[in-house]
């Protein structure tokens, strides 16, 4: 991702006074409303169509958009109907995860820009197809991207820029933890929730995929993963509510990955990145700690850790004085999505690829898939083998294949 891609100031749009970008949102549930709120920050983007198989959902969102002073979008039951009947330049896919690639391919085939909500999908069976389609679209000046909004957080940008500049020295390890709570009612609220077929997984796939993405962004290409999963605090759910894993990277760096929806009442997402000359801690999207010695010999600087090393976080964050956003309901002001849409709109105007690529999303999805395969088989798994299709027919389960519990026996092929 280039510096230009990550620019936080203004809309960053090239040719912003040009023709409007007509957007169709596919999926009008919670995340669809988040995207609607995000694109409202860009006057050049006009929501012209809403698609949902539940007419009440699209009608409700259309009415809300009209109440906020924008033209009321037309509503449709299918994407094909929307593309045929409404002006559409950009398709935003915000449906259940298991439909993402299918609908993105439909939009790309129709010659539309595409934004896919995370994750890319629930499995890798059509990964090659979407990569080829995305590259072909980009060759025509179309944008195909996947939401990874936390790459655009000021804290994430500080860490990435320091990493690329070598300020952390040799990156040695990382600890990533997503410690959230989801009630039984959350899983019971939709038949697709907590299923392998539509959710694609639990705490790692649904709640932790953004943290997986940041982990890979900071540490590079993942090589091997060893994992365990469990369903410990919920009932009638196929997928895991707790997962732990160790990841080995091409550089030799090691990481611990943890995610749970069974941490009542809900704790934070925390990512620690550690190196031979510096370290950083991102906690709940905020830069809680940063220290880089910027010295030729690490021994020349204080080596007492957080207490003795000096926290430079405030100095680093001061580079982005206009990008501090108070925590708000993301359906009212989704700050992360707004930051990423700055890049997306700029990419559409400039005819360049977006900062986050479909290939980035495939790598994250392959890592998640490898985690589930490792937990199922009870053995380390190479990421490259997963991408190559070696485990295509493995029926992933919650827990290991040798465990004999009802939840373990519920797994279906992902």
């Amino acid at each position: 991702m280039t510096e230009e891609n990550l620019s936080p100031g203004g809309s960053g749009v090239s040719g912003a006074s040009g023709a409007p970008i007509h957007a169709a949102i596919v999926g009008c549930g919670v995340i669809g409303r988040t995207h609607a709120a995000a694109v409202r920050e860009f006057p050049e983007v006009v929501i012209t169509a809403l698609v949902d198989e539940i007419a009440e959902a699209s009608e409700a969102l259309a009415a809300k958009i009209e109440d906020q002073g924008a033209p009321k979008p037309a509503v449709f039951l299918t994407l094909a109907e929307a593309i045929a009947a409404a002006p559409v330049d950009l398709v935003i896919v915000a449906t259940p995860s298991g439909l993402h690639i299918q609908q993105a391919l439909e939009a790309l085939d129709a010659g539309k820009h595409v934004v896919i909500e995370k994750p890319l999908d629930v499995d890798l069976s059509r990964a090659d197809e979407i990569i080829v389609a995305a590259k072909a679209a980009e060759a025509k000046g179309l944008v195909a991207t996947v939401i990874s909004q936390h790459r655009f957080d000021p804290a994430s940008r500080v860490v990435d820029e320091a990493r690329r500049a070598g300020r952390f020295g040799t990156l040695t390890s990382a600890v990533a933890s997503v410690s959230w709570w989801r009630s039984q009612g959350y899983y019971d609220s939709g038949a697709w929730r907590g299923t392998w077929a539509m959710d694609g997984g639990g705490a790692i796939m649904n709640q932790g995929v953004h943290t997986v993405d940041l982990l890979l962004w900071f540490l590079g290409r993942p090589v091997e993963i060893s994992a365990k999963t469990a369903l410990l605090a919920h009932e009638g759910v196929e997928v895991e509510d707790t997962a732990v894993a160790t990841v080995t990277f091409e550089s030799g760096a090691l990481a611990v990955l943890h995610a749970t929806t069974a941490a009542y009442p809900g704790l934070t997402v925390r990512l620690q990145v550690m190196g031979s000359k510096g370290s950083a801690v991102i906690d709940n999207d905020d830069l809680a700690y940063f220290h880089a010695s910027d010295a030729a010999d690490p021994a020349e600087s204080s080596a007492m850790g957080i207490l003795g090393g000096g926290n430079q976080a405030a100095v680093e964050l001061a580079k982005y004085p206009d990008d501090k956003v108070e925590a708000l309901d993301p359906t009212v002001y989704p700050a992360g999505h707004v930051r990423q849409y700055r890049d997306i709109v700029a990419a559409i105007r400039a005819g360049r690829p977006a900062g986050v690529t479909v290939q980035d999303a495939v790598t994250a999805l392959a890592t998640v898939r490898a985690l589930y395969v490792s937990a199922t088989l009870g053995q380390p798994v190479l990421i490259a083998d997963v991408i190559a299709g070696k485990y295509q027919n493995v029926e992933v389960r919650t827990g290991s294949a040798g465990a004999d519990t009802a939840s373990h026996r519920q797994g279906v092929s992902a």
Side-chain angles (χ1 to χ4, degrees):
M1 189 177 295
T2 65
E3 298 288 342
E4 177 187 8
N5 294 155
L6 286 170
S7 176
S11 68
V13 176
S14 174
S17 60
I21 299 169
H22 301 110
I25 298 177
V26 187
C28 299
V30 173
I31 198 63
R33 294 194 293 272
T34 295
H35 281 271
V39 299
R40 272 183 50 80
E41 293 294 308
F42 303 89
E44 60 269 48
V45 180
V46 180
I47 302 172
T48 54
L50 297 175
V51 180
D52 201 299
E53 63 180 14
I54 301 174
E56 291 83 355
S58 54
E59 289 285 2
L61 182 54
K64 180 176 181 178
I65 290 171
E66 184 179 35
D67 289 344
Q68 293 172 337
K72 185 177 183 179
V75 298
F76 304 92
L77 295 177
T78 69
L79 176 57
E81 292 172 351
I83 291 174
V88 176
D89 305 306
L90 166 66
V91 174
I92 299 167
V93 179
T95 49
S97 305
L99 301 173
H100 286 181
I101 286 181
Q102 170 190 328
Q103 292 171 332
L105 287 169
E106 183 180 354
L108 290 173
D109 187 59
K112 311 302 180 184
H113 304 285
V114 173
V115 173
I116 307 169
E117 180 54 50
K118 66 83 182 171
L120 176 64
D121 208 283
V122 300
D123 65 61
L124 290 166
S125 63
R126 305 185 76 178
D128 289 343
E129 190 177 357
I130 189 66
I131 287 173
V132 169
K135 289 182 177 177
E138 289 173 358
K140 300 174 185 176
L142 294 174
V143 167
T145 188
V146 180
I147 291 296
S148 293
Q149 77 268 28
H150 291 295
R151 290 193 183 195
F152 297 83
D153 294 344
S156 301
R157 295 181 55 201
V158 165
V159 174
D160 178 62
E161 289 170 8
R163 171 193 66 81
R164 287 188 289 106
R167 297 181 65 197
F168 294 144
T170 299
L171 286 178
T172 57
S173 61
V175 177
S177 178
V178 180
S179 303
W180 286 357
W181 169 253
R182 290 292 183 268
S183 68
Q184 185 66 41
Y186 165 83
Y187 289 104
D188 294 342
S189 66
W192 65 277
R193 290 196 185 276
T195 66
W196 289 109
M198 285 289 108
D199 237 355
I204 285 288
M205 174 68 88
N206 200 307
Q207 284 76 30
V209 69
H210 284 304
T211 305
V212 172
D213 177 69
L214 286 181
L215 185 64
L216 304 187
W217 194 38
F218 294 151
L219 266 66
R221 181 175 173 268
V223 174
E224 183 182 81
I225 191 165
S226 182
K228 289 186 179 295
T229 62
L231 180 64
L232 301 173
H234 300 91
E235 298 178 352
V237 177
E238 295 175 356
V239 299
E240 86 287 354
D241 62 13
T242 304
V244 294
T246 56
V247 187
T248 303
F249 290 83
E250 189 173 45
S251 67
L254 303 174
V256 175
L257 175 62
H258 158 263
T260 184
T261 54
Y264 185 84
L267 305 178
T268 63
V269 177
R270 187 175 177 88
L271 178 54
Q272 299 176 196
V273 178
M274 292 156 280
S276 61
K277 292 185 178 180
S279 301
V281 178
I282 298 173
D283 192 274
N284 251 20
D285 305 334
D286 190 27
L287 190 64
Y289 178 79
F290 181 100
H291 183 82
S293 68
D294 292 329
D297 181 358
E300 293 177 6
S301 64
S302 174
M304 297 299 292
I306 290 181
L307 293 179
N311 191 349
Q312 304 162 352
V315 174
E316 297 296 323
L317 285 173
K319 298 175 182 177
Y320 311 103
D322 299 324
D323 212 25
K324 181 67 175 176
V325 179
E326 296 299 325
L328 297 173
D329 179 348
T331 63
V332 176
Y333 190 82
H337 280 69
V338 170
R339 294 186 186 112
Q340 185 164 357
Y341 267 107
R342 289 177 187 153
D343 170 66
I344 292 168
V345 173
I348 290 173
R349 291 301 196 196
R352 63 161 173 83
V356 179
T357 68
V358 169
Q359 181 63 66
D360 293 332
V362 167
T363 303
L365 181 59
T367 303
V368 172
R369 168 69 178 175
L371 183 150
Y372 289 139
V373 171
S374 173
T376 298
L377 300 181
Q379 66 185 44
V381 168
L382 296 177
I383 309 294
D385 285 346
V386 172
I387 294 174
K390 178 177 178 179
Y391 300 103
Q392 184 73 29
N393 296 322
V394 170
E395 183 181 286
V396 295
R397 303 168 184 268
T398 303
S400 65
D404 186 23
T405 69
S407 64
H408 296 156
R409 294 192 297 271
Q410 292 182 94
V412 298
S413 176

